[in-house]
């Protein structure tokens, strides 16, 4: 079974970016202990957009749904869903 990626798209005005990043830093550990959780990244826009991307990777859609059904909902964020078809990491040296 392939992993599932969820990307929450958050539109954040420049004056609110520091606050958003502090809130995410304070949430450390919230998702990391969830069954089926594989990865988290908060991606800050560099140029051309005011949208942050919150990347999470899950073992399955069911694992994500179980976690989000426990009050960890997506709120008003736009959510993109992807199946991982191929994946690679650094080659061993």
């Amino acid at each position: 079974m392939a992993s599932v990626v969820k990307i929450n798209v958050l539109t954040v005005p420049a004056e609110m970016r520091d606050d958003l990043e502090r809130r995410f830093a304070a949430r450390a550990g919230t998702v990391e202990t969830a069954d089926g959780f594989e990865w988290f990244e908060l991606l800050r826009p560099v140029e051309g957009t005011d949208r942050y991307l919150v990347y999470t990777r899950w073992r399955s859609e069911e694992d994500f749904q179980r976690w989000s059904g426990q009050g960890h909902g997506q709120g008003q964020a736009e959510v993109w869903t992807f199946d991982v078809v191929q994946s690679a990491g650094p080659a061993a040296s």
Side-chain angles (χ1 to χ4, degrees):
M1 179 183 300
S3 296
V4 173
V5 169
K6 299 289 185 172
I7 299 176
N8 293 355
V9 183
L10 307 173
T11 301
V12 182
E15 66 273 9
M16 299 297 294
R17 288 182 177 186
D18 288 343
D19 184 50
L20 175 81
E21 291 179 23
R22 275 193 300 274
R23 287 190 356 235
F24 269 92
R27 54 131 299 281
T30 302
V31 70
E32 287 88 332
T33 59
D35 187 40
F37 169 78
E38 295 179 348
W39 201 259
F40 163 86
E41 290 178 315
L42 176 62
L43 305 177
R44 177 193 305 134
V46 175
E47 60 182 77
T49 185
D50 59 355
R51 300 195 299 174
Y52 275 72
L53 302 179
V54 182
Y55 172 102
T56 56
R57 183 170 167 156
W58 299 86
R59 178 179 53 208
S60 69
E61 177 69 24
E62 292 76 20
D63 289 320
F64 170 76
Q65 291 299 330
R66 183 173 32 259
W67 177 79
S68 65
Q70 296 172 350
H72 306 287
Q74 307 310 303
Q76 298 300 317
E78 179 180 353
V79 179
W80 301 340
T81 301
F82 299 87
D83 288 329
V84 176
V85 178
Q86 294 184 21
S87 182
S93 46

